[in-house]
Structures are given as C-alpha cells and as structure tokens.
Amino acid sequence: MLRPRIPVNPLPTGIVTPLVQPTPSTDIESAACNHRHAPAPAPVPAQSSALRLTPAGLAVVVASGAGAVLVVGTVLVSMLLAVAVSAASVAVCAVVLRSLLNGQHRHR
C-alpha cells in the first residue's frame, strides 16, 4: 500500500574543475599603458576563527566559570533546603492535626 521510495543519487563523474585564480601579468599591464600605476594593496590575511586566550584571560575564564558553578550550586541547594523544610513543617502540622482530631473523638 504505502511503499517508501529511496532517492537515487547520480554517480559522480570524476571530473574535477579546479578553481583558477587569474594572476595579473606585469608584461601585459606594461604593454597596455605607458604610465605608472600605484602598487596593488597587499592582501589582508584572513582572520582565524580560533579563540586565543592569554594565561591571564584563561585564569579569568576559569575563575568566572567556577564562580558561576558555585552560585548555581548554592541556589539549587537552598531551594532543596526550602522544599525539605516546607515538607517537614507540613508533616508536623499533619501529625498535630491528626492527634487533635483523634483526641476530640475519644472524649465524646
């Protein structure tokens, strides 16, 4: 009824066309005109995408990471402690109410 269709990929031809950058020849330029041109600006080196840290920068990153972990841990522990204290107080209230209700039923 419903049959999946597998896409057919064409086989590679094996023909590779290299990207050729034409280099300006000084002979052609000097033959084309008789006046002097300003030299071409030097190509700007590509910026690397790697992040480079100095030892001081690395120490700052490690210290801020450790500080963030400590702050998050402290907040989580305090929230857990608040939940535990609330649960204990509710349990104590339940025990007190049960004992009060049981004491009222015995006296009547």
Side-chain angles (χ1 to χ4, degrees), residues 8-107:
V8 178
N9 293 331
L11 295 175
T13 59
I15 300 172
V16 178
T17 355
L19 180 63
V20 178
Q21 295 285 337
T23 56
S25 173
T26 56
D27 295 336
I28 297 173
E29 287 181 3
S30 63
C33 59
N34 294 328
H35 61 279
R36 293 188 172 254
H37 291 279
V44 178
Q47 296 288 337
S48 65
S49 62
L51 177 66
R52 297 180 190 210
L53 290 176
T54 61
L58 185 62
V60 168
V61 168
V62 169
S64 62
V69 167
L70 288 175
V71 167
V72 169
T74 303
V75 168
L76 290 178
V77 167
S78 64
M79 288 172 59
L80 181 65
L81 186 62
V83 168
V85 167
S86 300
S89 64
V90 168
V92 167
C93 289
V95 168
V96 167
L97 283 176
R98 188 174 75 175
S99 68
L100 286 174
L101 289 176
N102 284 340
Q104 282 184 352
H105 285 283
R106 288 183 188 165
H107 292 294

